[in-house]
Amino acid sequence: MTRLVPTVVAFLIAMTSVNAAAQTVLQSTNNTNPLFGREFVANNGRIWFSAIGTVEGAEVWSTDGTAGGTQVGAEIVPGYTNDHPEELTPVGDKIFFFFDGENDWELWMTNGTQNGTMRILEKGYPAFSDDNPILTGVAKAGERAVAFADGWMIAVDPTNGDTTHLRPANSVGFIQAETFAFAFTQHPTTLASELIRTDGTRQGTEVLSNIMFSDEDLIGLAGNRLVFIADEFLGQGEEIYVSDGTPGGSGFFDEFIVGNEDIACSDMTTGDGVVYLALKESAANACKPYVSDGTPGGTQPIVDFTAPLIHGIAAAHGLIYFWDSAVNLWRTDGTVDGTFQVGTLQGTGTPVTEFDNAAWFGGFVNGRYTLWTSNGTIDGTQEFFAGDATTIDPRSL
């Protein structure tokens, strides 16, 4: 399988304080060269990530935030390789991941030791959803991991690696909710599109509806509710579909725009119990930023602002940030007076990430991406750490 997506690499940087502007480049314990890491997840008091070391090649690593506590978990392939482990997912005290091995993509799990690392499925199916990491090929469902292989949805016991076949299904992707997982699948026999809920057991796995999302960028979680944009195929165009994990709690909202119209005009971002996206309220209207808690009454415009293109809506330090026409960064507190533009870049910026009471994002200037931060003011929106164009890429925030 060949993956035709851009490779994103970055120094593993520990940022201790915005005001102190301190960065610590973490290095592997057996050489002096820095690591190039991505796909960072937290589990058991450590950060786990996929990284390329100059000696070990691409493997699963973990760190406690210090150079001495940064170590390779296990060497999947002896010697140097640049095939990154993908989709690191914590389940129990293990990390599940995909690796391009002897039998195409394989599902592995590790506890951070060589003896505690084992291959689970010889032919697994990662989702490869870089734009929306909420859609994955492995997820936590109850106390088990769930994945796809050979026309089946399979559950894995992280204590011993034992597998259970849950139901026939071809891979599309999982969305991990708080206590269970949603799955978009295609039935291998009927080829019907299915939305499934699973807790990792056969009795807790059921089909909720036969509906598919319109775009992988238009999927989000509002708490335990799955929110996505789908086409009703009844002459009504795109509408908002929500599921709480039960058949009775799964369905479309009332028609958002009368007629066969598409309503989404941005990606969807998962927030704290809500989702953010931009919607069109009529066929003639431009885009408006919205927030939704997964209920019709809780789906409202954030502010009375419209633009031809809005993307990257996200919350940070009590404000909502979004990009207008790809290069203009706006902030809003939900009021007209509190909505204004804080910056303009030369190319498309990335959605913001909250850290240390500030907004952080990758900004494109002078032909490359650099690290930027904003406190919600014009003067406080500035380049923070430019670094070296050959090694720093803040799109992996």
Side-chain angles (χ1 to χ4, degrees), residues 80-98:
Y80 186 86
T81 176
N82 61 359
D83 291 327
H84 264 281
E86 302 278 352
E87 297 190 18
L88 275 63
T89 304
V91 182
D93 62 350
K94 305 292 178 29
I95 299 295
F96 285 79
F97 61 94
F98 288 102

Side-chain angles (χ1 to χ4, degrees), residues 220-223 225 227 229 240 242 253 256 266-281 287-305 310 312-316 318-322 332-335:
L221 276 176
R225 287 189 176 96
V227 183
I229 304 296
I240 298 176
V242 173
F253 284 1
F256 207 75
S266 80
D267 47 357
M268 186 181 295
T269 302
T270 294
D272 186 9
V274 296
V275 297
Y276 303 100
L277 77 163
L279 298 170
K280 291 188 291 185
E281 297 175 329
C287 303
K288 182 178 289 188
Y290 264 73
V291 62
S292 176
D293 64 1
T295 67
T299 303
Q300 300 291 336
I302 298 171
V303 67
D304 190 16
F305 173 94
I310 294 176
I313 309 172
L319 299 174
I320 303 296
Y321 288 83
F322 59 89
T332 181
D333 60 7
T335 67

